[in-house]
Amino acid sequence: MSLTLYLPKDAAALALGADDIAAALTAEAAARGIELRLVRTGSRGMVWLEPLLEIEQDGLRHGFGPLEVSDVKSLFESDFTDHAKALGPVEDIPFFARQTRLTFARCGVIDPLDLNAYRAHGGMAGLERARGMAPEQIVAEVTESGLRGRGGAGFPTGIKWNTVLQAEGPQKYIVCNADEGDSGTFADRMLMEGDPFCLIEGMAIAGLAVGATRGFVYCRSEYPHAIRTFGDALEMAREACLLSESFDIELRVGAGSYVCGEETALLNSMEGKRGTVRAKPPLPAHKGFMARPTVINNVISLASVPVILAEGAAHYKSFGLGRSLGTVPLQVAGNVKHGGLFEAAFGMTIGELIHDICGGTASGRPVKAVQIGGPLGAYFPVTLFDTPLGYEECDAAGGLIGHAGIVVFDDTADMGAMARFAMEFCAVESCGTCTPCRIGAVRGMETIDRILAGDPAAPAILADLCETMRDGSLCALGGFTPYPVESALKYFPEDFTPRQEAAE
Amino acid sequence: MAEAEISPTAQRAREIAAAHAHLDGPLLPVLHAVQHALGHIPREALAPIAEELDLSVAEIHGVISFYPDFRTEPGGRRTLKVCRAEACQAMGAARLGDDLRTRLGVDWHGTTQDGAVTLEPVYCLGLCACGPAALVDETPVARATADRLERMAREVVG
């Protein structure tokens, strides 16, 4: 008798014990004389259900989770049917059923390093179509789709590509920014671990579109599993001639610096320098890596290109709201009951996502705030939960969508401490090039301490300092740190009153 | 005077640098490889790297000191990276960090007196929906407790 089971090897699933489950499944199958084919997949993104085991029955994948080693024996005894951890068809779980999976269509479904499975699930269709198109046509298709930078800045991808297409240079580059440092975000990691060929395909299409023969992926060192999986995928892609002299990709690894997620700091880091921010202009599109024309896009931007080419721009832009077109992988994290990755058309409100889909907090206490867009994003109180999740919509509400990470806090959160942490983080990670960020972050910490100590002069100083950082910083690190600080102060002033030290 | 003996460390650093010299911007890959091979980047590795890559020792020092990953002194037998970022803070990371520093008797970046564990802060591991998160060497840990992390970090390296 043989049996095929699917179990994620995504880092979050591993962190929750997936390898222990795998070992137990293998041992139990052996003891029963069952020939087990255990397919290690990426994650479906329902992190609270990990480790999530799947089995195909009647053409549908049925799930069991969150599994513990002690569940394994009874799973076999139940013949993978009626079990306390049975979830039914995975794609019928409401969290999954309500999604529109375009970029993450294969993530959690296939073995990420199985190129045949990749092709069988629609992979390579975009690249094959692009090969029959002129560069201008590919750029036009991406422009028409409305795709904007998913790293956070939201710049139209097609326009960036067109600038590089028009630029003159002895060598052009495609650089993928996989320095996903924002807390609450893990979409890049999940995609590189769960569907790495999708990123490779997207970069190859970008190469055809702008005339670049070399690509780089700059991945943060905090992602050892993504580095390993993506590195293996590169080797397999070379063996299969998906990568060759005409377009090849090199994987580079960062070294723990948050600011290297800023595109010009990333370029300096790739060139072997300190990760300091460059003044713009010149734009990377004109003078990027090695001072040559360079496309820099986030992982999700590039990984969304294959489906745009395969299904057409009109299909992609049929999703979304206003100028935020297509889908966005929302990542819900922190103190959340049902956290994970939820890919949906832009336009869902914060409240619908947090309360209806994610079930509120993990602690069961009331939601106090969410921080959207990472450590440089604003805190949104519950009174703003009718804000739709889109680039302009979040901006109009005084925040930013960023890389679409949403961190949930319950009512025990101390927003004064969170505001201070925002300044501390900026001080730790500042590259030091510009004064408002380098000095401002340190003075910001001190000034928040003064507010918390009851100094009546301090709030005005903090407001002035935030204005200086916002207007005078070279990049978003110093420029956006006022977002979390000022939103915390604005919506939760009660958390900035003098502290009574519990000395006793 | 006889020519100074070339130390094995310097020789190894030179070989690694030479093997990467063809890359565009080889310095970070070289520093990662040297640290992987030697456990840290000792002072004596700098001159041979500088010669192979046609850089100054000062430039290399500047790069090493910029990036938190690179260390110029040996670390503990295991490295415990504990996330301090917002999503993990929402799940109690601040207390977890305090507990671990007390238990291990070190501050952030410190190594325990017995050389077993180096404690490093990290700002996001991408395990934000199952925090607080940590990495013991390369083993990810979700919903981490101080007990479990200390036990894992002190496990004898096999």
Side-chain angles (χ1 to χ4, degrees):
Chain A
M1 186 191 157
S2 74
L3 176 69
T4 300
L5 297 172
Y6 301 85
L7 183 73
K9 64 169 182 180
D10 175 275
L14 296 178
L16 290 161
D19 274 351
D20 294 337
I21 303 295
L25 289 167
T26 305
E28 188 67 24
R32 291 168 179 267
I34 297 170
E35 189 187 322
L36 176 65
R37 178 172 164 254
L38 185 60
V39 180
R40 300 303 295 270
T41 63
S43 171
R44 295 272 192 172
M46 295 181 280
V47 176
W48 80 99
L49 294 177
E50 296 288 4
L52 171 59
L53 182 73
E54 297 183 24
I55 183 168
E56 192 173 313
Q57 290 164 345
D58 305 325
L60 290 176
R61 295 262 285 262
H62 289 246
F64 299 86
L67 286 189
E68 290 168 50
V69 169
S70 58
D71 293 318
V72 168
K73 196 176 167 71
S74 56
L75 268 172
F76 278 86
E77 281 164 1
S78 76
D79 201 22
F80 297 90
T81 51
D82 190 23
H83 189 273
K85 296 283 178 77
L87 300 161
V90 172
E91 298 191 359
D92 290 348
I93 296 170
F95 186 95
F96 198 91
R98 293 177 71 169
Q99 298 187 46
T100 302
R101 288 232 166 178
L102 300 183
T103 308
F104 281 80
R106 284 170 296 264
C107 192
V109 178
I110 63 169
D111 173 351
L113 295 174
D114 182 344
L115 199 46
N116 291 327
Y118 180 70
R119 288 178 197 273
H121 285 79
M124 301 304 295
L127 180 58
E128 274 155 27
R129 176 160 174 245
R131 281 177 177 147
M133 295 164 77
E136 292 78 8
Q137 288 176 304
I138 304 173
V139 171
E141 187 89 28
V142 172
T143 306
E144 177 61 21
S145 76
L147 179 66
R148 294 167 67 181
R150 296 287 187 260
F155 190 81
T157 305
I159 292 176
K160 188 185 277 187
W161 287 18
N162 193 48
T163 308
V164 177
L165 172 62
Q166 305 298 331
E168 301 278 343
Q171 172 73 53
K172 297 178 185 178
Y173 299 102
I174 308 298
V175 172
C176 171
N177 183 344
D179 197 41
E180 180 175 54
D182 290 349
S183 176
T185 67
F186 42 86
D188 298 355
R189 180 187 65 67
M190 267 185 61
L191 191 110
M192 290 176 75
E193 293 178 9
D195 197 13
F197 292 124
C198 181
L199 176 56
I200 293 172
E201 184 182 349
M203 291 180 70
I205 293 169
L208 288 175
V210 305
T213 57
R214 293 186 64 194
F216 289 88
V217 172
Y218 183 97
C219 183
R220 59 203 301 263
S221 63
E222 292 86 344
Y223 285 179
H225 303 84
I227 291 164
R228 205 168 305 138
T229 303
F230 192 76
D232 290 348
L234 285 180
E235 280 185 31
M236 297 178 73
R238 274 184 212 114
E239 280 167 26
C241 299
L242 172 56
L243 295 175
S244 64
E245 293 267 297
S246 59
F247 186 75
D248 205 347
I249 297 173
E250 195 178 319
L251 176 61
R252 291 288 176 92
V253 177
S257 162
Y258 174 79
V259 79
C260 288
E262 196 283 332
E263 61 182 10
T264 61
L266 185 151
L267 292 171
N268 277 339
S269 183
M270 275 185 35
E271 290 176 6
K273 300 171 185 160
R274 292 163 69 92
T276 50
V277 174
R278 300 177 184 173
K280 288 190 280 194
L283 296 171
H286 292 127
K287 288 191 172 177
F289 184 55
M290 311 298 280
R292 291 164 175 173
T294 303
V295 166
I296 304 190
N297 283 140
N298 170 255
V299 172
I300 303 304
S301 309
L302 288 163
S304 297
V305 168
V307 71
I308 289 169
L309 267 290
E311 304 288 334
H315 177 72
Y316 192 76
K317 69 189 275 195
S318 70
F319 301 96
L321 169 77
R323 290 176 52 216
S324 305
L325 297 174
T327 59
V328 57
L330 301 164
Q331 302 130 78
V332 192
N335 193 335
V336 61
K337 187 175 181 191
H338 295 159
L341 182 135
F342 188 93
E343 183 178 354
F346 284 98
M348 176 175 280
T349 66
I350 301 169
E352 186 181 0
L353 180 69
I354 300 304
H355 291 305
D356 300 351
I357 291 168
C358 297
T361 61
S363 60
R365 301 182 65 93
V367 175
K368 181 169 187 172
V370 294
Q371 185 180 28
I372 304 182
L376 311 177
Y379 287 99
F380 285 72
V382 176
T383 50
L384 289 178
F385 272 23
D386 57 352
T387 307
L389 290 157
Y391 293 102
E392 280 71 28
E393 292 74 15
C394 288
D395 181 60
L400 51 102
I401 192 168
H403 189 44
I406 300 162
V407 176
V408 182
F409 293 83
D410 75 8
D411 63 350
T412 63
D414 176 349
M415 303 312 290
M418 296 316 295
R420 187 190 191 280
F421 178 79
M423 286 291 188
E424 182 188 352
F425 181 75
C426 183
V428 169
E429 298 292 350
S430 176
C431 81
T433 299
C434 70
T435 312
C437 173
R438 185 184 67 245
I439 306 290
V442 178
R443 293 288 99 90
M445 268 194 294
E446 295 165 357
T447 310
I448 293 172
D449 284 341
R450 284 170 59 185
I451 294 175
L452 297 176
D455 180 346
I461 296 171
L462 183 67
D464 189 52
L465 179 66
C466 283
E467 188 183 335
T468 302
M469 290 177 74
R470 192 166 43 238
D471 296 343
S473 297
L474 202 52
C475 82
L477 179 52
F480 288 1
T481 292
Y483 272 114
V485 173
E486 295 197 304
S487 57
L489 190 56
K490 178 177 178 184
Y491 296 112
F492 306 99
E494 66 278 11
D495 284 4
F496 289 80
T497 50
R499 306 289 154 111
Q500 300 296 326
E501 288 295 328
E504 291 83 22
Chain B
M1 206 170 94
E3 203 172 311
E5 287 269 323
I6 298 169
S7 80
T9 298
Q11 183 58 31
R12 187 86 183 91
R14 182 181 298 281
E15 286 163 11
I16 290 169
H20 290 81
H22 66 284
L23 297 176
D24 284 332
L27 187 53
L28 256 66
V30 167
L31 294 176
H32 274 303
V34 168
Q35 182 155 302
H36 184 75
L38 304 175
H40 66 291
I41 304 169
R43 173 95 197 158
E44 59 185 314
L46 268 52
I49 295 172
E51 283 169 27
E52 291 296 328
L53 302 185
D54 199 17
L55 296 168
S56 72
V57 168
E59 280 174 290
I60 297 174
H61 174 76
V63 169
I64 291 172
S65 61
F66 182 86
Y67 294 96
D69 280 3
F70 298 132
R71 51 183 323 126
T72 52
E73 302 291 333
R77 289 186 289 279
R78 286 194 193 276
T79 302
L80 172 56
K81 291 184 176 175
V82 179
C83 183
R84 289 193 67 208
E86 288 87 345
C88 287
Q89 286 191 47
M91 294 301 282
R95 171 176 284 182
L96 177 66
D98 290 346
D99 281 358
L100 281 166
R101 285 185 291 169
T102 306
R103 280 164 176 257
L104 297 172
V106 295
D107 202 350
W108 297 116
H109 310 291
T111 301
T112 54
Q113 279 199 333
D114 60 2
V117 186
T118 297
L119 181 66
E120 294 285 355
V122 64
Y123 298 92
C124 196
L125 295 165
L127 304 171
C128 319
C130 48
L135 208 52
V136 183
D137 290 336
E138 292 203 349
T139 304
V141 184
R143 296 179 198 136
T145 61
D147 250 350
R148 181 155 171 237
L149 290 182
E150 187 183 7
R151 193 171 63 244
M152 288 178 73
R154 286 192 180 282
E155 257 172 33
V156 177
V157 180

